[in-house]
Amino acid sequence: MNMSADLNELEKRMHGAMDALKKEFGGLRTGRASVNLLDPVMVEAYGQRMPLNQVGTVSAPEPRLLTVSVWDKGLVTPTAKAIREAGLGLNPSPDGQMIRIPIPELTTERRNELAKLAHKYAEQGKVAVRNIRRDGMDALKKAEKDHKISEDEHRQKADEVQKLTDRYVKLVDEALVHKEKEIKTV
């Protein structure tokens, strides 16, 4: 069993979790309206939950306005409802097959809401990293149980997995601090 390959796989998965977090943070724009702001929105369509970008086209025609051009007229109301209930503090207004979403000026209260949302995303990122660590630890336990590695190797590799986990949790925390600063000072 090649443990360094497994460690590289764990690192690749943790890097993917960081990329997902950065994408989530990218949607938390504080200045100009960003189409990424609506990435977390899931729409109830055709009997299942779908990402917003699979039911319409999102654009930012003005600095303080987003528009969603919904492809199926029957999905305009569920799409507007999903945007309203996504916890982003947005109030969409349907206009035919187009949904206009004015981006509110950032009040102190809104900045605090965005900071809370950033904390939520960061916590989800940490949970993802810890789940990857758990998978790695389980694989080590199984390898030891199957006599593929010794107890000492298990301890050594477990320490390496923990160090990797600690490094990525620290990266999540640093990304959160940076995002909070961006939210509160723009």
Side-chain angles (χ1 to χ4, degrees), residues 33 35 38 41-44 52-53 55-62 64-85 90-103:
V35 294
L38 300 178
V41 176
M42 298 295 279
V43 180
E44 194 67 42
L52 179 67
N53 63 6
V55 296
T57 305
V58 181
S59 60
E62 298 173 25
R64 296 240 163 249
L65 179 72
L66 289 175
T67 59
V68 179
S69 180
V70 183
W71 300 320
D72 182 346
K73 195 174 183 94
L75 294 178
V76 172
T77 303
T79 302
K81 181 180 177 202
I83 294 167
R84 194 172 292 110
E85 294 174 353
L90 300 174
N91 191 16
S93 59
D95 181 11
Q97 279 187 247
M98 176 81 68
I99 299 174
R100 297 184 193 292
I101 308 153
I103 305 299

Side-chain angles (χ1 to χ4, degrees), residues 6-177:
D6 288 351
L7 209 55
N8 287 341
E9 180 62 28
L10 291 176
E11 184 165 12
K12 192 185 296 180
R13 289 176 58 197
M14 287 183 187
H15 188 73
M18 270 307 291
D19 287 346
L21 176 66
K22 286 178 182 174
K23 189 170 192 239
E24 295 279 4
F25 279 174
L28 294 178
R29 288 281 179 233
T30 53
R32 188 174 141 63
S34 166
V35 294
N36 295 340
L37 182 63
L38 300 178
D39 283 352
V41 176
M42 298 295 279
V43 180
E44 194 67 42
Y46 311 115
Q48 60 188 17
R49 293 175 51 79
M50 305 175 87
L52 179 67
N53 63 6
Q54 291 184 8
V55 296
T57 305
V58 181
S59 60
E62 298 173 25
R64 296 240 163 249
L65 179 72
L66 289 175
T67 59
V68 179
S69 180
V70 183
W71 300 320
D72 182 346
K73 195 174 183 94
L75 294 178
V76 172
T77 303
T79 302
K81 181 180 177 202
I83 294 167
R84 194 172 292 110
E85 294 174 353
L88 299 171
L90 300 174
N91 191 16
S93 59
D95 181 11
Q97 279 187 247
M98 176 81 68
I99 299 174
R100 297 184 193 292
I101 308 153
I103 305 299
E105 279 290 332
L106 285 181
T107 61
T108 304
E109 183 181 311
R110 180 69 182 134
R111 288 180 197 276
N112 290 337
E113 282 177 29
L114 285 172
K116 282 182 190 173
L117 198 55
H119 275 274
K120 180 179 150 197
Y121 290 158
E123 193 53 44
Q124 290 170 349
K126 287 181 189 178
V127 167
V129 167
R130 290 183 193 124
N131 286 340
I132 295 165
R133 175 193 60 194
R134 186 194 62 224
D135 293 347
M137 295 297 198
D138 289 349
L140 288 172
K141 283 180 196 164
K142 184 176 179 342
E144 184 186 356
K145 185 179 167 209
D146 295 345
H147 303 292
K148 292 180 180 174
I149 62 171
S150 68
E151 193 176 323
D152 287 341
E153 281 180 293
H154 177 223
R155 229 178 278 122
Q156 177 198 2
K157 296 300 179 187
D159 285 346
E160 289 178 28
V161 170
Q162 186 58 49
K163 285 178 187 167
L164 184 66
T165 302
D166 292 344
R167 191 173 93 215
Y168 274 90
V169 166
K170 186 174 182 235
L171 286 172
V172 168
D173 287 337
E174 288 170 358
L176 175 61
V177 167

